[in-house]
Amino acid sequence: MARDLLGATLTVRFGGKVRSARIVETEAYMRNDPASHAFRGPTPRNRSMFSRPGTLYVYRIHQVVCANLVARRGEAVLLRAAAVKGLVPKAASGPGRLCRVLGISREDDGEDAVSGRRIEVRLGGERVKGVLVGRRVGIRRAVDRPLRFALENESAVSRIRSFTTG
DNA sequence: GAAAAGATTACCT
DNA sequence: GGTAATCTTTTCC
């Protein structure tokens, strides 16, 4: 699903406005994955990660928030970068910047992104080409698993140098 | 209760 | 390339 979300459209509704973005970088956090927030089972923070597929899991880290989409119960995809319509490419390069520029906050934690009240993810439909694969960023455990995905030739992708495949 | 760690970012050299 | 800022959650006593 992390792969399939590349090229998907993420739409967020503010007050009266709509901001739309193309997802260009993701990471997968799986079951039995020591790097996953869900590894040690449900806690108050990661509760929504065990909810239905399509649920948003939004958490705070340092000074920022990051957003995930639940793939299966206990597994989620971190949205790392997107190309936002009408903004410079680097505006949403990185999970914290992505949430900031799209107005995603912890109040969105647990919301459904498929039926889409405020936030909606719509898959592109066609299979994208030129997918880069690499190690996940910023983790200390399970660092070697190839669970980071990004689109080639997208300047919104963060830390492009660290990819191993592509 | 207290301490440590962290799916980051901005700014430094 | 490295590190400080900053604050919430988890874990441990």
Side-chain angles (χ1 to χ4, degrees):
Chain A
M1 179 172 154
R3 239 178 220 283
D4 290 343
L5 280 173
L6 295 176
T9 303
L10 173 62
T11 303
V12 181
R13 298 173 180 82
F14 298 83
K17 301 177 187 174
V18 176
R19 193 162 271 180
S20 191
R22 181 168 186 257
I23 297 171
V24 299
E25 181 185 347
T26 60
E27 282 177 359
Y29 288 87
M30 322 270 296
R31 271 166 38 212
N32 301 318
D33 178 356
S36 171
H37 288 175
F39 184 58
R40 293 171 193 277
T43 66
R45 175 178 71 160
N46 67 22
R47 176 171 56 89
S48 55
M49 207 169 153
F50 292 88
S51 191
R52 290 171 36 227
T55 301
L56 285 164
Y57 165 47
V58 183
Y59 67 92
R60 187 190 176 108
I61 175 76
H62 297 277
Q63 299 94 285
V64 303
V65 298
C66 301
N68 300 249
L69 202 54
V70 176
R72 293 194 291 256
R73 290 183 187 272
E75 303 187 307
V77 176
L78 173 68
L79 306 179
R80 281 199 59 90
V84 184
K85 206 172 182 177
L87 298 183
V88 297
K90 289 291 182 190
S93 177
R97 290 197 202 100
L98 185 150
C99 286
R100 192 184 60 191
V101 78
L102 292 176
I104 297 173
S105 75
R106 279 192 305 174
E107 295 184 2
D108 297 305
D109 182 51
E111 292 295 306
D112 183 25
V114 175
S115 69
R117 256 177 50 77
R118 193 177 96 78
I119 301 174
E120 182 179 9
V121 174
R122 187 162 38 79
L123 291 177
E126 61 194 62
R127 184 173 180 79
V128 296
K129 303 188 76 174
V131 174
L132 307 178
V133 182
R135 297 175 173 184
R136 294 175 292 183
V137 176
I139 55 171
R140 296 180 47 136
R141 295 177 295 195
V143 293
D144 290 335
R145 300 190 189 180
L147 294 176
R148 181 186 181 207
F149 306 93
L151 291 179
E152 208 171 35
N153 303 320
E154 285 283 348
S155 49
V157 173
S158 64
R159 296 197 234 182
I160 195 78
R161 264 196 300 282
S162 62
F163 284 100
T164 55
T165 319

